[in-house]
Amino acid sequence: TYRCTRETAEYGRAVLGKQAPTDGIIVKRQGAPVLETAYESEGRLVVSLVERLSTLLDGESSARVAVITREPSTAEALWIALENRLPARLVLDGDFCFDAGIEVTDVSQVKGLEFDDVVVPDADARTYPDTPDARRALHVAITRAIHRVWVAWAGPRSRLLPNP
């Protein structure tokens, strides 16, 4: 929790549920609440992702953004959808550039890393079912953020997400 804001740390702890450590969260830095957005379709999610990331980079050109999916194949498909619209890099081999910009990757690549902003675009029930492995993976993705987290999904919402 040293990298996260209180809001992100609390959200991540809620995702872990009974797997969360029993000690309290000690985070002094306040931040933005975790943004949650549901979409009717993956197409609408991608359109919104392009718009929001474009706005973010226009306002904060030095931001390091990670779009973190659960599976490498999802990261690759999303990167293909984004690459003609945004300056995004696909990272599936751990070769992060750590410069400003957008890196699309999967959760297995990011443990121990941190980014200014994190987007989890596949927080649906199929991708993150109520299993211990899915809880840990979603927690890792969310808690890579230093400043802001945006959790989005198309279809049924994952039951791992805290109640709205």
Side-chain angles (χ1 to χ4, degrees):
T1 59
Y2 68 90
R3 81 176 50 86
C4 301
T5 63
R6 173 174 295 284
E7 293 78 2
T8 299
E10 288 173 351
Y11 193 91
R13 184 182 200 93
V15 164
L16 283 177
K18 293 178 183 177
Q19 292 181 339
T22 56
D23 58 336
I25 295 174
I26 303 173
V27 179
K28 296 180 181 175
R29 195 165 53 88
Q30 296 292 115
V34 173
L35 176 63
E36 290 185 334
T37 312
Y39 292 93
E40 296 171 7
S41 68
E42 290 182 15
R44 289 189 188 267
L45 189 153
V46 170
V47 168
S48 182
L49 185 60
V50 169
E51 291 171 356
R52 287 177 187 251
L53 289 175
S54 294
T55 300
L56 173 65
L57 292 181
D58 287 345
E60 297 181 41
S61 60
S62 63
R64 293 181 317 118
V65 181
V67 178
I68 305 172
T69 65
R70 176 113 193 251
E71 300 296 332
S73 59
T74 307
E76 187 170 8
L78 186 56
W79 174 74
I80 289 168
L82 296 177
E83 73 173 324
N84 291 327
R85 299 173 184 106
L86 292 170
R89 291 183 64 231
L90 178 64
V91 180
L92 298 177
D93 59 1
D95 190 23
F96 292 91
C97 72
F98 299 105
D99 290 333
I102 302 164
E103 294 184 301
V104 182
T105 190
D106 72 280
V107 72
S108 73
Q109 303 293 314
V110 298
K111 193 165 184 177
L113 301 180
E114 58 187 40
F115 303 89
D116 294 321
D117 297 274
V118 166
V119 179
V120 179
D122 57 352
D124 58 84
R126 182 182 53 79
T127 304
Y128 287 100
D130 192 352
T131 66
D133 287 345
R135 282 186 186 281
R136 285 189 299 275
L138 186 55
H139 177 265
V140 167
I142 289 165
T143 58
R144 302 305 92 200
I146 297 171
H147 300 298
R148 289 173 297 269
V149 178
W150 177 28
V151 178
W153 61 91
R157 178 183 197 272
S158 173
R159 294 179 54 175
L160 302 181
L161 299 176
N163 291 327

